[in-house]
Amino acid sequence: MKQILFSGMIGLILSLVGTPALIKLLARQGYGQYIRDDGPKAHHSKKGTPTMGGIAFILATLIAYFATKAITGDTPTASGLLVLFLTAGLGLVGFLDDYIKVVKRRSLGLRAKAKLAGQSIVGLVFAVLALQFHDDRGLSPASEKLSFVRDFSWSIGPVLFVIFAYFMIAATSNGVNLTDGLDGLATGASVMAFGAYTFIGVWEYTQSCAYFISATGACYDVRDPLDLAVVASALMGSCFGFLWWNTSPAKIFMGDTGSLALGGALAGLAICSRTELLLIMLGGLFMIITLSVIIQVGSFRMTGKRVFKMAPLQHHFELKGWSEVLVVVRFWIIQGLCVAVGLGLFYAGYRTG
């Protein structure tokens, strides 16, 4: 359990100290945020704020994980390395998108096909590799079975799993990307979700089928649950440190570099911990905001009318007169409730076997 404490604290310190150094570097290079003209007017004052801040917590997470392994003398696991690969890989796609925005002064960044191709390559490589690397119990980091709080009894096969995992990764990374846009909103919501996955990893480790079966017959067949908790803790600590500088008024934005990475990390943790469908609740705020965009686009295309003043949903409330801080805090409360319900469902699943 010391690994979880080490990874979280190292990630927090590195991100807290490293982010201001990144702010100075990005500001010196003139890598500032481009603001949409059709967005809320209050956002126009943010123009030029350094972006690509996701670099800070991605590097802090990677260093925290490997430093923890070096300190404790433990060996990195396939599950932990795959989640980190997915995080860093999608972060790289986001970095290219951000770089084009700030250097080329093109608001849309990467072309849609290029961005989709990048996400597809990283997501598909992760999904294929996650079915490899079996341990001595025959468990791979991911399973061909769908899962809620643990695997269902039926398998969908490797091909359908890879397709499902790809869409899950794309949906989650784009969901966090849509949530990003208000100071600290996506960062704070992600901290809560990573906290939940830290708990889930520890619980699955202590209730592993390798050496424990409860009175109800419940246990967890997960390849590396403790290491998933180490990764989640590193992510949580790194995001906490970044939030110090990202909260209102933000000194730096995470950009697509950060939002795609965080979404990928959440999807990877869900897949490897066998809680794929539970992520809908643990990432409830991301799902709600994504649905608001789907509803807005669908309504406009079918009826020519908009349901919200602006999508994603957070901007709708800004245009209704809510202050940015008010929107962020209330949306954090919603995410906190979603995480609480999600953990409740996870524990109920354990109790009922």
Side-chain angles (χ1 to χ4, degrees):
M1 298 301 178
K2 291 187 296 184
Q3 293 186 59
I4 296 171
L5 178 61
F6 287 156
S7 65
M9 289 302 299
I10 294 171
L12 171 64
I13 294 170
L14 288 176
S15 185
L16 192 61
V17 174
T19 301
L22 180 63
I23 293 172
K24 293 178 181 178
L25 174 63
L26 294 173
R28 189 161 56 245
Q29 297 297 323
Y31 292 167
Q33 178 69 35
Y34 180 93
I35 303 297
R36 291 168 49 187
D37 292 332
D38 59 343
K41 293 182 180 179
H43 288 204
H44 292 179
S45 62
K46 300 181 181 183
K47 185 175 181 179
T49 301
T51 187
M52 297 190 286
I55 295 171
F57 58 74
I58 292 173
L59 289 178
T61 297
L62 294 173
I63 295 172
Y65 177 81
F66 289 108
T68 296
K69 294 301 177 181
I71 293 170
T72 61
D74 196 36
T75 304
T77 67
S79 299
L81 292 175
L82 280 170
V83 174
L84 292 175
F85 161 77
L86 185 59
T87 303
L90 290 179
L92 177 60
V93 175
F95 171 79
L96 294 175
D97 190 42
D98 287 332
Y99 187 79
I100 291 173
K101 287 177 184 176
V102 299
V103 174
K104 303 286 188 180
R105 300 297 176 184
R106 194 171 79 200
S107 62
L108 296 179
L110 278 174
R111 302 296 182 188
K113 290 183 179 179
K115 189 173 182 179
L116 179 61
Q119 290 177 291
S120 299
I121 292 170
V122 175
L124 291 174
V125 169
F126 167 84
V128 171
L129 291 179
L131 292 178
Q132 314 306 316
F133 308 108
H134 295 81
D135 65 5
D136 54 4
R137 292 184 293 151
L139 295 175
S140 56
S143 168
E144 295 175 13
K145 300 175 182 178
L146 296 182
S147 60
F148 181 54
V149 297
R150 56 170 57 84
D151 282 340
F152 295 122
S153 59
W154 36 270
S155 171
I156 61 175
V159 175
L160 285 180
F161 166 78
V162 169
I163 295 173
F164 170 77
Y166 162 70
F167 280 109
M168 181 177 173
I169 292 165
T172 308
S173 59
N174 288 321
V176 178
N177 185 243
L178 290 171
T179 304
D180 188 32
L182 299 187
D183 295 352
L185 178 58
T187 310
S190 297
V191 166
M192 298 180 207
F194 291 131
Y197 272 109
T198 302
F199 171 82
I200 287 172
V202 172
W203 187 266
E204 289 180 338
Y205 173 72
T206 60
Q207 312 298 322
S208 171
C209 294
Y211 55 84
F212 179 89
I213 298 179
S214 72
T216 64
C219 62
Y220 299 93
D221 267 323
V222 178
R223 190 189 189 284
D224 307 299
L226 183 60
D227 210 40
L228 292 175
V230 173
V231 173
S233 179
L235 284 160
M236 179 177 64
S238 298
C239 286
F240 248 134
F242 182 75
L243 184 59
W244 181 272
W245 305 102
N246 182 233
T247 194
S248 184
K251 300 295 187 294
I252 189 171
F253 301 138
M254 70 169 67
D256 283 11
T257 305
S259 60
L260 294 185
L262 293 181
L266 286 171
L269 288 169
I271 291 169
C272 292
S273 65
R274 313 293 205 267
T275 56
E276 294 155 353
L277 299 181
L278 185 64
L279 181 58
I280 295 173
M281 183 55 67
L282 294 177
L285 180 64
F286 307 127
M287 182 193 70
I288 292 169
I289 288 176
T290 301
L291 284 176
S292 74
V293 175
I294 294 172
I295 292 170
Q296 183 86 324
V297 173
S299 175
F300 187 76
R301 287 182 176 177
M302 289 188 294
T303 68
K305 297 180 180 179
R306 293 180 172 86
V307 176
F308 307 105
K309 290 180 177 293
M310 186 178 179
L313 188 61
Q314 60 268 35
H315 300 315
H316 166 79
F317 288 103
E318 278 192 291
L319 294 178
K320 283 179 67 70
W322 291 19
S323 69
E324 181 174 6
V325 173
L326 182 62
V327 175
V328 170
V329 171
R330 286 181 174 173
F331 276 39
W332 279 351
I333 292 172
I334 292 172
Q335 171 65 359
L337 291 172
C338 289
V339 167
V341 172
L343 289 177
L345 291 172
F346 177 78
Y347 183 68
Y350 167 77
R351 293 295 298 172
T352 57

